[in-house]
């Protein structure tokens, strides 16, 4: 008998995303790029899924840490995974939302082969095939250094009046520090101010960092709406996207022709009263957008935070609409040929995160598509 104190379940699920269809939504096999899609649900406890074009799970990893954003496959078949280091205090209210701390490699059977820990790591850790890891982290600025950071909501610094500033580090397979960069050393405070609506707890909020083919470093500075190229030799900014080109963007990557593919979230986009997200290609020579995708009904596709895009071998683009757990593929002409909605809904595992996001989302930070040739071990383990 049900206890009189136990509330009745609502007749209608009040989670609007969960009321909608999940799993495979659409597939045009004649247009989609072959292969398997990898994703890690952000509210999971360490599960990583590899699915085929029909949306069927063909492989799964179960890892010992909840996701610290995302996972990727490396050339040797190992899984590069960024997890959340347990038991850490919140540096500021949003820290538990996007912190990481554990960067590991795992075998196809889930065995952890090695890991590197840094409790100040957040958002992105790019694992290279030779065992190096390039990642974003934090350091505290106080006093005059904190006051020198421009913009943001006045008085919204972290506890103690701190502004936590970004650093970028590269470590070897053994954890040895090989290279580092400090925003405090190399970013002009006037040229890179926080948006006026942002808290002054974190500047400039680097949410993506990847190496370029020439050895320099590509980074996305979300809260100042800038994509930059950093000189590995000197630390100076070699290139910056023109102000207004992207707004609160994520996940820039270098294409074969040198252009940059960027997920442009569209929050606070200048001159637009109705926000929408898009994926753009930027020509670095002149800084112009030379290709973009947005939904035919622009406002339908809007991801206010997170998101990514991957150019596929056949020229299509895989897009991660992160907050909605929606993965989809479009052709160069903007034809949507594959769509999948993550079916795993859960609450975030830490009370601090649940207080910020009380719903049970199906969010995923990034997804990646791999050809069968890139996963030779799959036939023997599936």
């Amino acid at each position: 008998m049900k206890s009189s104190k136990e509330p009745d379940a609502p007749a209608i699920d009040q989670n609007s995303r969960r009321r909608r269809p999940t799993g495979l939504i659409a597939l045009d096999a004649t247009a989609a790029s072959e292969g398997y899609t990898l994703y890690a649900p952000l509210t999971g406890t360490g599960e990583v899924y590899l699915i085929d074009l029909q949306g069927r799970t063909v492989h799964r990893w179960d890892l010992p840490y909840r996701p610290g954003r995302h996972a990727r496959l490396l050339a040797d078949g190992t899984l590069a995974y960024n997890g959340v280091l347990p038991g850490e205090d919140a540096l500021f209210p949003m820290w538990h939302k996007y912190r990481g701390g554990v960067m590991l490699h795992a075998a196809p059977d889930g065995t952890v082969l090695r890991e590197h820990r840094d409790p100040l790591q957040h958002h992105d850790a790019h694992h290279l095939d030779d065992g190096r890891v390039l990642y974003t982290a934090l350091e505290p600025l106080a006093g005059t250094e904190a006051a020198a950071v421009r913009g943001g909501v006045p008085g919204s610094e972290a506890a103690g009046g701190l502004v936590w500033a970004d650093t970028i580090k590269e470590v070897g397979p053994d954890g040895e520090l090989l290279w580092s960069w400090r925003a405090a050393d190399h970013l002009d405070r006037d040229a890179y101010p926080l948006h006026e609506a942002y808290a002054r707890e974190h500047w400039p909020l680097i949410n993506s960092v990847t190496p370029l083919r020439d050895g320099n470093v590509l980074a996305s500075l979300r809260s100042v709406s800038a994509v930059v190229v950093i000189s590995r030799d000197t630390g100076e900014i070699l290139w910056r996207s023109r102000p207004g080109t992207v707004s609160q963007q994520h996940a820039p990557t270098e294409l074969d022709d040198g252009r940059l593919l960027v997920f442009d979230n569209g929050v606070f986009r200048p001159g637009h009263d109705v926000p929408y997200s898009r994926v753009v290609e930027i020509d670095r020579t002149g800084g112009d957008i030379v290709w973009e995708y947005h939904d035919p009904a622009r406002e339908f596709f809007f991801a206010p935070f997170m998101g990514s895009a991957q150019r596929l071998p056949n020229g299509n683009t895989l897009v991660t609409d992160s907050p909605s757990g929606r993965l989809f593929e479009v052709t160069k002409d903007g034809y949507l040929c594959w769509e999948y909605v993550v079916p795993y809904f859960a609450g975030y595992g830490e009370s601090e995160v649940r207080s910020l996001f009380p719903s049970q989302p199906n969010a995923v930070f990034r997804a990646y598509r791999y050809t069968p040739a890139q996963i030779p071990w799959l036939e023997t383990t599936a």
Side-chain angles (χ1 to χ4, degrees):
M1 179 180 295
K2 185 174 73 173
S3 167
S4 60
K5 295 182 180 180
E6 187 177 326
D8 292 329
I12 297 175
D13 188 346
Q14 296 304 291
N15 187 320
S16 59
R17 288 176 181 153
R18 197 163 49 200
R19 287 198 304 270
R20 299 166 184 167
T22 62
L24 182 67
I25 305 300
L27 170 62
D28 182 342
T30 66
S33 187
E34 67 169 349
Y36 303 91
T37 304
L38 183 83
Y39 70 89
L42 278 176
T43 54
T45 59
E47 302 83 16
V48 181
Y49 298 92
L50 190 66
I51 61 171
D52 62 17
L53 286 180
Q54 285 71 39
R56 299 173 298 211
T57 298
V58 297
H59 194 75
R60 169 176 163 168
W61 292 258
D62 290 280
L63 299 168
Y65 310 99
R66 75 176 180 90
R69 303 290 89 182
H70 65 293
R72 288 174 50 241
L73 284 173
L74 301 180
D76 64 0
T78 59
L79 184 79
Y81 178 78
N82 302 322
V84 173
L85 188 62
E88 295 294 310
D89 293 331
L91 303 177
F92 44 83
M94 291 295 286
W95 180 237
H96 279 303
K97 177 180 181 287
Y98 53 66
R99 71 183 183 92
V102 181
M103 295 151 271
L104 64 79
H105 286 186
D109 66 1
T111 301
V112 175
L113 303 174
R114 65 173 177 266
E115 65 177 50
H116 175 69
R117 294 188 171 198
D118 183 339
L120 295 179
Q121 183 265 330
H122 67 89
H123 275 97
D124 201 9
H126 185 89
H127 299 248
L128 286 81
D129 290 326
D130 61 7
R132 290 176 294 146
V133 184
L134 183 70
Y135 66 91
T136 55
L138 290 183
E139 66 169 353
L141 302 182
T144 56
E145 277 199 309
V149 174
R150 303 289 184 244
V153 177
S156 61
E157 290 82 0
L162 296 179
V163 172
W164 289 88
D166 282 307
T167 66
I168 301 174
K169 298 180 180 180
E170 183 182 274
V171 295
D174 58 357
E176 177 189 5
L177 181 64
L178 303 176
W179 181 79
S180 64
W181 180 90
R182 300 177 66 231
D185 285 340
H186 297 288
L187 289 187
D188 183 298
R189 307 300 199 274
D190 293 323
Y192 294 89
L194 288 166
H195 187 278
E196 61 183 10
Y198 267 81
R200 289 174 51 80
E201 59 195 16
H202 186 177
W203 170 79
L205 210 163
I206 298 179
N207 57 30
S208 177
V209 59
T210 56
L212 296 172
R213 286 191 296 272
D214 63 8
N216 293 313
V217 176
L218 177 67
S220 167
L221 286 54
R222 172 174 166 85
S223 57
V224 301
S225 291
V227 176
V228 299
V229 174
I230 300 167
S231 168
R232 185 178 175 95
D233 292 334
T234 67
E236 67 179 311
I237 303 300
L238 301 175
W239 180 89
R240 173 186 176 167
S241 57
R242 284 203 308 261
T245 303
V246 290
S247 298
Q248 316 299 296
Q249 73 295 321
H250 283 75
T253 55
E254 183 182 28
L255 300 177
D256 290 340
D257 59 6
R259 293 174 176 173
L260 301 180
L261 186 70
V262 186
F263 188 98
D264 180 22
N265 294 77
V267 182
F268 307 127
R269 180 178 288 123
H272 291 262
D273 59 345
V274 177
Y276 65 93
S277 296
R278 60 182 181 171
V279 177
V280 298
E281 269 186 47
I282 302 174
D283 184 346
R284 277 191 278 172
T285 302
D288 297 322
I289 292 175
V290 294
W291 178 85
E292 74 173 84
Y293 168 81
H294 56 76
D295 194 89
R298 294 190 185 212
E299 68 280 2
F300 179 79
F301 172 33
F302 176 52
F305 49 88
M306 305 188 291
S308 69
Q310 176 194 6
R311 182 56 45 82
L312 301 175
N314 70 348
N316 290 357
T317 302
L318 178 68
V319 183
T320 305
D321 178 358
S322 297
S324 299
R326 177 174 169 252
L327 319 177
F328 62 95
E329 179 183 348
V330 295
T331 67
K332 196 73 172 177
D333 296 329
Y335 171 65
L336 189 150
C337 57
W338 182 80
E339 184 177 14
Y340 174 88
V341 175
V342 173
Y344 305 107
F345 293 81
Y348 285 90
E350 298 187 33
S351 60
E352 294 88 353
V353 183
R354 286 200 303 272
S355 67
L356 293 167
F357 302 93
S359 65
Q360 292 189 343
N362 61 338
V364 57
F365 190 57
R366 295 180 191 165
Y368 295 93
R369 176 75 54 80
Y370 298 93
T371 66
Q374 291 176 299
I375 321 175
W377 51 262
L378 183 60
E379 290 185 358
T380 61
T381 61

